[in-house]
């Protein structure tokens, strides 16, 4: 299936010092590659975004955001749909934030502040409350921990079809030889292209995908046992062990630390990436 392009509407206004744009991105839709004359934070309060910048492509969940300094060309879309929140930040207000595109961890407080700022955007700020929320967002962004990376994603070609299939069916256990035949490559060529394009083996990428999907599924209300089965683990205990090894805690403990009640899955608006 091909992706559809989301048109970027005219009439954008510069942030003073921060503007939050709200939009629902349908499945398999993306903004064309573009850049801004200000900084941007790419974030989704629900769903998963695909982000391409600086020759890299990856997906991020609501636990992650991408900081894009002024002028960085980027492309944002969503494979399965997402509630997009784009923070535009004036150049001067970005002091103290990274000089290059960076994946940042999003705390429960930062997520709640973004949701609040979106609700306030465009309203008169008679008592300065919106300005204080914007200031707290900037403080939180400066405190946010840079992450070593998100889930890598191919920029095109046969690996994209493979990764999209595995994203939809993470229990698929086919190896390089079987996948190579499916996408018209030898197993050795497929393995080599995975290493060169994504920086890891198919096996390692699939393990990271399952962890990524686990957080997405449990965040949508799926229980641990059903999540384990959906991801292809042989038992719940095997899934819990794998999750604890990667994240340092059990799935239930991790999910208890996530924010509750700040996401409106039905919210929508007009914006562009």
């Amino acid at each position: 299936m091909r992706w559809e392009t989301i048109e970027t509407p005219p009439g954008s206004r510069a942030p003073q010092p921060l503007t939050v744009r709200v939009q629902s991105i349908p499945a398999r839709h993306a903004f064309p590659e573009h850049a801004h004359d200000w900084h941007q934070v790419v974030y989704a309060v629900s769903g998963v975004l695909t982000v391409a910048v600086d020759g890299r492509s990856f997906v991020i969940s609501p636990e992650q955001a991408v900081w894009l300094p002024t002028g960085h060309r980027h492309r944002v879309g969503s494979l399965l749909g997402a509630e997009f929140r784009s923070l535009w930040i004036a150049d001067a207000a970005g002091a103290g934030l990274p000089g290059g595109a960076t994946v940042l961890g999003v705390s429960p407080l930062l997520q709640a502040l973004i949701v609040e700022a979106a609700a306030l955007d465009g309203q008169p700020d008679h008592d300065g409350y919106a300005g204080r929320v914007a200031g707290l967002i900037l403080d939180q962004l400066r405190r946010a921990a840079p992450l070593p990376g998100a889930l890598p994603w191919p920029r095109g070609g046969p690996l994209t079809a493979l990764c999209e299939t595995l994203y939809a069916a993470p229990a698929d256990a086919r190896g390089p030889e079987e996948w190579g035949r499916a996408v018209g490559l030898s197993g050795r060529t497929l393995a080599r292209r995975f290493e060169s394009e994504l920086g890891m083996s198919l096996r390692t990428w699939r393990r990271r995908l399952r962890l990524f999907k686990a957080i997405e599924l449990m965040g949508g209300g799926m229980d641990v046992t059903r999540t384990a089965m959906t991801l292809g683990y042989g038992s719940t205990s095997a899934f819990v062990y794998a999750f604890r090894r990667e994240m340092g805690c059990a799935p239930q403990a991790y999910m208890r630390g996530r924010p509750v009640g700040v996401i409106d899955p039905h919210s929508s608006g007009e914006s562009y990436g």
Side-chain angles (χ1 to χ4, degrees):
M1 293 178 60
R2 66 187 182 91
W3 285 59
E4 301 291 338
T5 298
I6 304 173
E7 296 298 329
T8 55
S12 60
R13 69 182 191 276
Q16 300 288 341
L18 182 150
T19 298
V20 183
R21 298 284 178 164
V22 177
Q23 183 161 358
S24 296
I25 299 181
R28 305 185 73 86
H29 280 65
F31 299 101
E33 185 176 75
H34 62 283
H36 298 296
D37 294 327
W38 44 76
H39 307 302
Q40 182 181 10
V41 174
V42 173
Y43 181 64
V45 293
S46 65
V48 172
L49 295 175
T50 302
V51 183
V53 61
D54 292 347
R56 298 177 295 151
S57 186
F58 44 85
V59 294
I60 57 169
S61 70
E63 286 75 31
Q64 303 158 325
V66 180
W67 165 256
L68 298 172
T70 298
H72 275 61
R73 295 194 65 80
H74 58 281
R75 182 175 183 270
V76 178
S78 182
L79 178 61
L80 299 179
E83 281 299 320
F84 184 43
R85 302 295 181 269
S86 177
L87 279 66
W88 293 353
I89 297 172
D91 277 351
L97 282 157
T102 306
V103 179
L104 300 174
V106 175
S107 68
L109 175 57
L110 178 55
Q111 186 184 67
L113 287 168
I114 291 172
V115 171
E116 180 71 356
L120 295 170
D121 193 65
Q123 299 181 13
D125 188 21
H126 298 303
D127 60 358
Y129 174 66
R132 293 192 294 274
V133 170
L136 285 171
I137 288 175
L138 294 170
D139 285 342
Q140 282 292 299
L141 287 171
R142 295 185 185 101
R143 290 172 174 265
L147 301 178
L151 180 69
W153 200 260
R155 293 182 69 94
L159 293 192
T160 298
L162 187 161
C163 290
E164 288 184 358
T165 301
L166 283 177
Y167 194 94
D172 190 319
R174 281 178 284 179
E177 291 295 335
E178 295 167 291
W179 269 114
R181 288 192 294 271
V183 299
L185 300 173
S186 70
R188 181 173 296 181
T189 299
L190 178 71
R192 186 167 59 247
R193 289 186 63 169
F194 239 89
E195 289 283 359
S196 63
E197 291 188 32
L198 300 182
M200 62 186 65
S201 67
L202 171 59
R203 181 178 181 179
T204 299
W205 186 86
R206 192 196 329 259
R207 184 172 68 245
R208 291 184 63 176
L209 167 68
R210 286 177 173 174
L211 177 65
F212 192 93
K213 287 287 290 184
I215 296 170
E216 178 186 349
L217 293 172
M218 291 187 297
M222 187 177 289
D223 62 45
V224 171
T225 297
R226 189 178 169 199
T227 297
M229 299 301 104
T230 300
L231 297 177
Y233 288 93
S235 66
T236 302
S237 59
F239 165 59
V240 171
Y241 173 80
F243 193 97
R244 187 189 296 273
R245 183 182 60 196
E246 296 289 336
M247 302 299 293
C249 64
Q252 298 93 327
Y254 180 88
M255 298 309 294
R256 282 197 296 269
R258 286 166 51 100
V260 176
V262 299
I263 298 175
D264 177 5
H266 304 294
S267 61
S268 62
E270 295 182 356
S271 171
Y272 62 96

